[in-house]
Amino acid sequence: MSDEKDFLKTYRQDDYPRPSVTADIVAFTIREEENDNYRQNSGTKLALLLIRRGGHPFKDCWALPGGFLNPDETIEQCALREAEEETAVKPVSLLSVGLFSEPDRDPRGWIISNAFVSVISEEQAQQSGDDASDAQWFDVDFVQDAGGDYILTLCYRDVTLRAVLEEEGSGFGKTSFRIKESGGLAFDHARIIATALSMLRSGAREFEHIFDFLPETFTLTQLQKVQETIMNISVLPANFRRKIAAYVEETDAFTQGAGHRPAKLYRRKTVKG
Amino acid sequence: MSDEKDFLKTYRQDDYPRPSVTADIVAFTIREEENDNYRQNSGTKLALLLIRRGGHPFKDCWALPGGFLNPDETIEQCALREAEEETAVKPVSLLSVGLFSEPDRDPRGWIISNAFVSVISEEQAQQSGDDASDAQWFDVDFVQDAGGDYILTLCYRDVTLRAVLEEEGSGFGKTSFRIKESGGLAFDHARIIATALSMLRSGAREFEHIFDFLPETFTLTQLQKVQETIMNISVLPANFRRKIAAYVEETDAFTQGAGHRPAKLYRRKTVKG
DNA sequence: CAAATAGTGTCTCTAAGACAATATCAC
DNA sequence: GTGATATTGTCTTAGAGACACTATTTG
């Protein structure tokens, strides 16, 4: 086997051109809307974390958090590290969206990026994105217009980013998009966000990831609103409860202090039957 | 904007360590088994293309085809190029499995790889993997044993590779695995193949990718066998026909010369209702 | 006719969607 | 009681699975 040792000693990795590799984080959370009637439950919105770029390129544009892959970590560990750095919280889940590798996607040079969907629970999300910071949660709206194009609208205070995308292909529950207008988002991030949303939605249909948006215990109405918010649909409570029953188990606790009938708290059932 | 130009001029990509990036191809096809009764239809088997490594590392081991990403192409283009080089045919479909990035996955150094599932139709597959070549189609068997481990068995002539894997997690229709025994496969390719199989199976349930294994026109029995072979299940013809009806359309042609009733040939319906 | 596959009809059971009805809290 | 949400019951319909039956070819 000294053959192999010899080979490895003389092998020069620098013979091949190499790109820089980054992990970008598409961090989602669910937020409650403001509400003047304290007895009425609030609506919920899907929100996405963006960071205002302080330096070139795309200075002052909004971009996904992310960072470079180190030689001693996997891309998943890199994503986790970056997610924790940027949001100051440990994401509940981290799921790969795919590798984005257009040679000219980054004006700094050959930089390819693997994107990850990260789900942050509402309680944790409040710790990040304060007013002073350049990291902010944007309300998300993603719909198909009459012409078949997809419109991604991201909104924070008086800032509105509106990107237009075209479906490019789909498979394995993932839809790919081509950017028609990036709407002020940096790099190809509009495309990454759209793809991430398509995967989040397709997973939510079978109750994947929806638990990650909520704390340990939750009411079934909360859980239903998470699914409805992500998928932009509405379902009847009776039917949702039947379908979700196999995935949750009761606790002894109830909600308190709402101006109406208390709801039983549930917990995710670990083994699904 | 000369600000930005200045920045880009002084930006040095070499400040960050960079990995080599490759695309690996998990190329599947469907093959007919030999059969002595010419009137009886043959069974079908799922097969996977492997290449015997001529050089170090993992000399003489079997590995997935693949190659390095060039600076002027996307990872998808790289995968397509490599797939065409290795199989001598244009794959019908090419779907990303994910990025495999364990720092020590390749003894040559820091080399990460994005894997792709590539589906080759039977007619095209016959052009590659001849006896003289180091590229060969292996019969695939992938089952869960009593202990919950997954056994991947790859078989070509007298060569049998048997890998043992453990489920590591799942999401977005993709299951991840950890290698317990690599069974003679090079690098972490056992893990890549297992993940690719899990995605292929989960997609085949809703008739994704099953058309890619067949020529332009096909009988419904052929199509059914493709799904059964991929998913390792069996379904009743009547039920399969009902479900697939929305995805196919009739042609005027029939099969000929079989020792039994001819079957109508169908074609994939482009727009699904 | 026999062997073999192609293709259809229909019964049952389950699950999804719609909708109505009842329960329970804060005020 | 009123307003609001929580929770359950059940009717209807669509689809999956099982099974029996008919049709068509070659030898």
Side-chain angles (χ1 to χ4, degrees):
Chain A
M1 260 322 188
S2 78
D3 235 18
E4 176 158 0
K5 284 223 178 88
D6 285 351
F7 166 80
L8 288 175
K9 202 156 35 178
T10 56
Y11 180 85
R12 285 282 163 274
Q13 202 179 8
D14 319 270
D15 295 349
Y16 304 93
R18 289 164 295 145
S20 295
V21 177
T22 63
D24 284 331
I25 313 298
V26 190
F28 290 111
T29 193
I30 294 273
R31 291 195 301 178
E32 297 206 342
E33 291 169 327
E34 297 88 38
N35 189 346
D36 34 352
N37 180 351
Y38 82 104
R39 293 177 68 179
Q40 196 171 6
N41 282 2
S42 313
T44 54
K45 280 188 170 174
L46 185 64
L48 165 70
L49 188 69
L50 293 178
I51 292 181
R52 199 215 306 269
R53 288 187 57 81
H56 291 297
F58 294 102
K59 186 161 157 45
D60 295 325
C61 286
W62 293 89
L64 293 171
F68 286 92
L69 176 65
N70 292 329
D72 60 348
E73 63 186 3
T74 65
I75 193 72
E76 287 83 7
Q77 289 162 346
C78 172
L80 189 64
R81 177 173 56 73
E82 294 292 340
E84 288 185 59
E85 280 174 24
E86 308 283 4
T87 64
V89 294
K90 209 183 181 70
V92 191
S93 67
L94 207 52
L95 290 147
S96 174
V97 174
L99 188 63
F100 293 82
S101 58
E102 265 71 34
D104 57 355
R105 62 180 289 280
D106 192 316
R108 289 171 294 184
W110 193 20
I111 303 181
I112 66 179
S113 176
N114 198 108
F116 286 84
V117 166
S118 161
V119 174
I120 314 281
S121 72
E122 183 169 12
E123 29 174 22
Q124 296 213 305
Q126 286 163 2
Q127 297 173 32
S128 59
D130 53 35
D131 284 11
S133 156
D134 277 333
Q136 296 296 346
W137 289 100
F138 281 67
D139 287 333
V140 176
D141 184 62
F142 187 53
V143 293
Q144 204 167 6
D145 73 5
D149 287 340
Y150 288 80
I151 313 296
L152 171 68
T153 312
L154 301 169
C155 208
Y156 159 69
R157 300 270 173 97
D158 54 336
V159 183
T160 298
L161 312 173
R162 185 173 175 282
V164 182
L165 304 111
E166 199 172 40
E167 189 172 334
E168 201 182 51
S170 69
F172 287 153
K174 166 164 93 176
T175 303
S176 295
F177 297 91
R178 207 181 57 74
I179 295 177
K180 293 177 89 167
E181 295 170 32
S182 83
L185 279 157
F187 307 103
D188 55 355
H189 288 184
R191 193 180 166 216
I192 295 177
I193 295 166
T195 306
L197 271 166
S198 82
M199 294 181 76
L200 191 65
R201 283 189 177 171
S202 109
R205 199 165 352 106
E206 293 110 45
F207 312 121
E208 275 193 277
H209 330 305
I210 60 172
F211 297 96
D212 301 337
F213 285 90
L214 294 173
E216 189 75 15
T217 63
F218 47 82
T219 69
L220 294 188
T221 304
Q222 284 180 307
L223 191 59
Q224 181 182 344
K225 281 199 176 166
V226 169
Q227 198 199 31
E228 291 181 333
T229 304
I230 294 174
M231 299 185 66
N232 208 24
I233 56 167
S234 88
V235 295
L236 294 175
N239 300 335
F240 179 81
R241 278 156 182 272
R242 252 203 326 240
K243 285 200 290 186
I244 204 69
Y247 300 89
V248 295
E249 57 189 15
E250 297 183 355
T251 70
D252 300 332
F254 285 81
T255 54
Q256 300 172 17
H260 49 74
R261 176 174 173 180
K264 182 167 286 210
L265 291 172
Y266 287 76
R267 148 182 339 118
R268 181 176 197 170
K269 199 193 283 184
T270 41
V271 186
K272 77 174 175 183
Chain B
M1 262 321 191
S2 77
D3 234 17
E4 176 157 2
K5 284 221 178 90
D6 284 352
F7 166 81
L8 289 176
K9 201 155 38 179
T10 57
Y11 181 85
R12 284 283 162 274
Q13 204 179 10
D14 318 271
D15 296 349
Y16 304 94
R18 288 165 295 147
S20 295
V21 177
T22 63
D24 283 331
I25 313 297
V26 190
F28 290 110
T29 192
I30 294 272
R31 291 195 302 177
E32 297 206 343
E33 291 167 328
E34 297 87 40
N35 190 345
D36 34 352
N37 181 349
Y38 83 102
R39 292 180 69 180
Q40 195 171 9
N41 281 3
S42 312
T44 54
K45 280 189 169 174
L46 185 65
L48 166 69
L49 187 70
L50 292 178
I51 291 182
R52 199 215 306 269
R53 287 186 59 80
H56 291 296
F58 293 102
K59 185 161 160 43
D60 295 326
C61 286
W62 293 88
L64 293 171
F68 286 92
L69 176 65
N70 292 329
D72 60 349
E73 63 187 3
T74 66
I75 192 73
E76 288 83 7
Q77 288 162 347
C78 172
L80 189 63
R81 177 174 55 74
E82 293 291 339
E84 288 186 58
E85 280 175 25
E86 308 283 3
T87 64
V89 295
K90 209 183 182 69
V92 190
S93 68
L94 207 50
L95 291 147
S96 174
V97 174
L99 187 64
F100 293 80
S101 58
E102 264 72 33
D104 57 355
R105 63 180 289 281
D106 192 316
R108 289 170 295 184
W110 192 21
I111 304 181
I112 66 179
S113 176
N114 198 109
F116 286 83
V117 166
S118 159
V119 174
I120 315 280
S121 73
E122 184 169 13
E123 29 175 21
Q124 297 214 305
Q126 285 163 1
Q127 298 173 31
S128 59
D130 54 36
D131 284 12
S133 156
D134 278 333
Q136 296 296 346
W137 290 99
F138 282 67
D139 286 334
V140 175
D141 185 61
F142 187 53
V143 293
Q144 204 168 7
D145 74 4
D149 287 340
Y150 288 80
I151 314 295
L152 171 68
T153 311
L154 301 170
C155 209
Y156 160 69
R157 300 271 172 97
D158 54 336
V159 183
T160 298
L161 311 173
R162 185 174 175 281
V164 181
L165 303 111
E166 198 172 41
E167 188 173 334
E168 202 182 50
S170 70
F172 287 153
K174 166 163 93 176
T175 304
S176 294
F177 296 92
R178 207 180 55 75
I179 295 177
K180 293 178 88 165
E181 294 169 33
S182 82
L185 280 156
F187 307 103
D188 54 356
H189 288 183
R191 193 180 166 217
I192 294 177
I193 295 166
T195 305
L197 271 166
S198 82
M199 293 180 76
L200 191 65
R201 282 188 177 171
S202 108
R205 200 166 351 107
E206 294 110 46
F207 311 122
E208 276 194 277
H209 329 305
I210 60 172
F211 297 97
D212 302 336
F213 286 90
L214 295 173
E216 190 76 15
T217 62
F218 47 82
T219 68
L220 294 188
T221 304
Q222 284 180 307
L223 190 58
Q224 179 181 346
K225 281 198 176 167
V226 169
Q227 196 197 35
E228 291 180 333
T229 304
I230 293 174
M231 300 186 65
N232 207 26
I233 57 168
S234 90
V235 295
L236 294 175
N239 300 335
F240 179 81
R241 278 157 181 271
R242 252 204 325 241
K243 285 199 288 185
I244 204 71
Y247 300 89
V248 294
E249 58 188 15
E250 296 183 355
T251 69
D252 300 332
F254 285 81
T255 55
Q256 300 173 17
H260 49 73
R261 175 174 175 179
K264 181 167 285 211
L265 290 173
Y266 287 77
R267 144 179 347 113
R268 180 175 197 170
K269 199 193 283 181
T270 40
V271 186
K272 77 173 175 183

